[in-house]
Amino acid sequence: MNETIKTQLEHRSIRKFKQESLSKDIIETIINVANQTSSSVAMQTFSIIRITDKEKKKAIADICMQPYVVDVPELWIFVADVFRNASILAELDSYPENRNDMDKFFQAFSDSVLAAQNVMIAVESLGLGGVFFGSILNDPEEMIKILNLPEYTFPVLGIGFGYPDEKPDKKPRMSSELKVFENQYKIQESYIKALKDYDKILEEYYKNRETNFRYDSFTNHVYTKFPLTRENRTKIMNFIRKQGFELNLEYIPESEIRTMFKKAPKVVEEHVFEESKMGFKAESGVRELFDKYPFVKDYLLVINPRFNKLRTLAGTVELSQMNMQQLADMGDMPVDSLIYMIESRIDEE
Ligand SMILES: Cc1cc2nc3c(=O)[nH]c(=O)nc-3n(C[C@H](O)[C@H](O)[C@H](O)COP(=O)(O)O)c2cc1C
């Protein structure tokens, strides 16, 4: 055990920061750390854009759908950057066919992610705290516009950091036996069974943690959150292509595509839900919820296409009679998870 490992084992995301700027020295040190990160074929194919403009921070917070992004003292966006090297080549009148292929893209993507994690370690080692923002990819096209990104570049990950103004409990991880194998991949007979103990640990963690208390477990978290997405995110390859990268996709017949999970059974155990932190019950009226917190409806429309039906229900009798359980059924999710998500959104406002 040494100080570096102690810091890494104490990792937790920080989302609330003191409104205190970081010194020039600290910023410079962290930039040096990022710059020294390993780099595929030593091509150094990443860039960092440090966002200091308040308007841009606001625009990025909107894309991330996380208002607190505006108040993050340091907001850095890591960009996969093949543009720099392609420009060197162009100046030398060289245009190799592979300059914009997927191999170059993924090298640049890995360089960016590694630099971002190196920054996180440096941040934490200095007694600061931070959080990654994958949510910048909710709208890649808008991010590209905001950052004025040229072709052969792509936004990968954001990181926000500063002096912490919270000390959240450390989030337990599943046993490494489920993640670390020797020589070959190990498939479990039942993942729900293999994760039973971890589910209990995480249930306790969510029940007892000081902020954002909720009923949840790991398998339930996967069950409810995994299906949520924004349409843009499912089309990410299109945005990568638009930035000039060549996907080079070959047609693969359906019969050759692995389909192990085509019909995954519903195996999640239901647990009894009575009343939430804010007093919502399964029978609570949806109409009153939308009247009191109008932004909740927009939020639901964004996170899960199944809620699109709400658009046509606005102002109808059907909506005024709907309760939370029926709303959860519409979204095909457990009512307590839905209520937890709504409460988290209300908390954010
Ligand atoms: C690639 C990546 C993207 C992430 N994106 C977000 C994000 O957009 N918003 C956020 O609040 N947290 C984000 N996180 C932080 C995770 O939610 C967090 O790491 C996870 O819940 C585990 O909690 P911990 O970091 O406190 O241990 C991201 C983490 C990673 C690795």
Side-chain angles (χ1 to χ4, degrees):
M1 189 67 85
N2 58 33
E3 289 308 311
T4 311
I5 291 175
K6 269 189 213 156
T7 305
Q8 288 175 299
L9 289 175
E10 279 308 300
H11 163 76
R12 64 208 69 193
S13 295
I14 298 296
R15 297 182 174 84
K16 212 168 152 209
F17 301 93
K18 292 186 179 136
Q19 284 313 301
E20 197 179 317
S21 315
L22 304 192
S23 70
K24 258 189 168 170
D25 273 359
I26 289 184
I27 302 289
E28 212 176 288
T29 304
I30 298 174
I31 288 175
N32 287 338
V33 168
N35 200 15
Q36 196 57 35
T37 303
S38 297
S39 161
S40 185
V41 203
M43 289 285 164
Q44 306 186 46
T45 46
F46 78 90
S47 290
I48 295 173
I49 302 188
R50 187 174 165 226
I51 309 294
T52 51
D53 180 282
K54 202 86 190 166
E55 288 302 309
K56 289 205 176 197
K57 267 192 181 174
K58 168 84 180 68
I60 293 172
D62 286 348
I63 290 175
C64 294
M65 299 177 68
Q66 285 170 301
Y68 69 85
V69 173
V70 178
D71 299 319
V72 160
E74 286 295 322
L75 176 61
W76 296 9
I77 309 294
F78 290 78
V79 176
D81 186 354
V82 184
F83 176 78
R84 193 166 39 240
N85 292 346
S87 302
I88 295 173
L89 292 170
E91 283 182 42
L92 298 171
D93 205 19
S94 167
Y95 301 89
E97 262 194 11
N98 68 346
R99 72 191 185 284
N100 59 344
D101 71 7
M102 277 291 103
D103 188 36
K104 294 285 180 282
F105 174 82
F106 280 114
Q107 283 177 349
F109 195 89
S110 321
D111 279 6
S112 310
V113 173
L114 293 177
Q117 175 60 21
N118 238 3
V119 164
M120 179 65 93
I121 296 171
V123 159
E124 292 178 343
S125 75
L126 290 166
L128 308 168
V131 61
F132 290 119
F133 296 117
S135 44
I136 60 163
L137 289 177
N138 284 345
D139 193 341
E141 216 161 20
E142 192 56 31
M143 273 309 295
I144 286 162
K145 239 191 253 164
I146 292 170
L147 303 176
N148 203 13
L149 295 185
E151 63 179 348
Y152 306 159
T153 61
F154 200 74
V156 172
L157 197 55
I159 183 170
F161 61 93
Y163 288 100
D165 198 15
E166 62 172 357
K167 185 149 199 276
D169 295 333
K170 198 165 90 168
K171 193 184 276 182
R173 302 297 202 254
M174 70 177 71
S175 159
S176 53
E177 280 171 29
L178 289 163
K179 293 177 177 164
V180 182
F181 314 120
E182 199 170 330
N183 294 323
Q184 61 174 329
Y185 195 86
K186 185 173 170 205
I187 297 180
Q188 301 291 323
E189 225 168 81
S190 159
Y191 284 88
I192 301 283
K193 272 190 200 148
L195 284 160
K196 212 162 185 105
D197 290 343
Y198 180 54
D199 267 351
K200 285 213 184 82
I201 293 171
L202 219 52
E203 259 172 44
E204 284 306 305
Y205 160 79
Y206 283 127
K207 255 192 262 173
N208 295 325
R209 71 180 181 179
E210 278 177 21
T211 52
N212 267 343
F213 149 97
R214 75 199 218 213
Y215 298 104
D216 212 347
S217 65
F218 181 73
T219 52
N220 189 57
H221 173 71
V222 173
Y223 180 65
T224 53
K225 295 275 170 57
F226 191 105
L228 306 180
T229 191
R230 297 188 58 147
E231 204 187 347
N232 266 347
R233 296 195 68 126
T234 64
K235 295 186 176 162
I236 189 157
M237 280 303 189
N238 293 286
F239 298 111
I240 293 169
R241 174 81 187 83
K242 255 185 150 174
Q243 281 299 97
F245 290 99
E246 197 44 70
L247 302 183
N248 275 335
L249 292 177
E250 277 171 22
Y251 175 73
I252 301 174
E254 191 77 8
S255 57
E256 279 182 33
I257 295 175
R258 296 176 179 211
T259 54
M260 193 164 161
F261 295 111
K262 243 183 184 165
K263 275 192 183 170
K266 276 191 186 179
V267 279
V268 174
E269 283 172 29
E270 294 289 328
H271 52 84
V272 182
F273 163 73
E274 283 166 7
E275 188 173 315
S276 73
K277 186 179 69 171
M278 289 184 181
F280 292 113
K281 296 179 176 180
E283 311 83 63
S284 305
V286 169
R287 184 63 179 270
E288 296 88 85
L289 169 76
F290 288 170
D291 286 348
K292 194 162 173 202
Y293 306 108
F295 53 86
V296 166
K297 193 168 124 200
D298 291 335
Y299 169 66
L300 295 177
L301 289 172
V302 166
I303 57 162
N304 183 346
R306 294 196 183 96
F307 287 119
N308 277 345
K309 214 174 152 214
L310 287 173
R311 291 183 204 281
T312 50
L313 288 183
T316 62
V317 178
E318 207 179 323
L319 184 71
S320 44
Q321 287 167 351
M322 183 181 278
N323 64 29
M324 290 292 217
Q325 182 61 60
Q326 289 159 328
L327 184 67
D329 291 345
M330 181 190 283
D332 197 18
M333 57 198 299
V335 68
D336 51 344
S337 299
L338 173 72
I339 290 174
Y340 156 69
M341 282 169 48
I342 290 173
E343 286 187 342
S344 304
R345 181 72 190 92
I346 293 171
D347 269 347
E348 277 174 9
E349 280 291 307

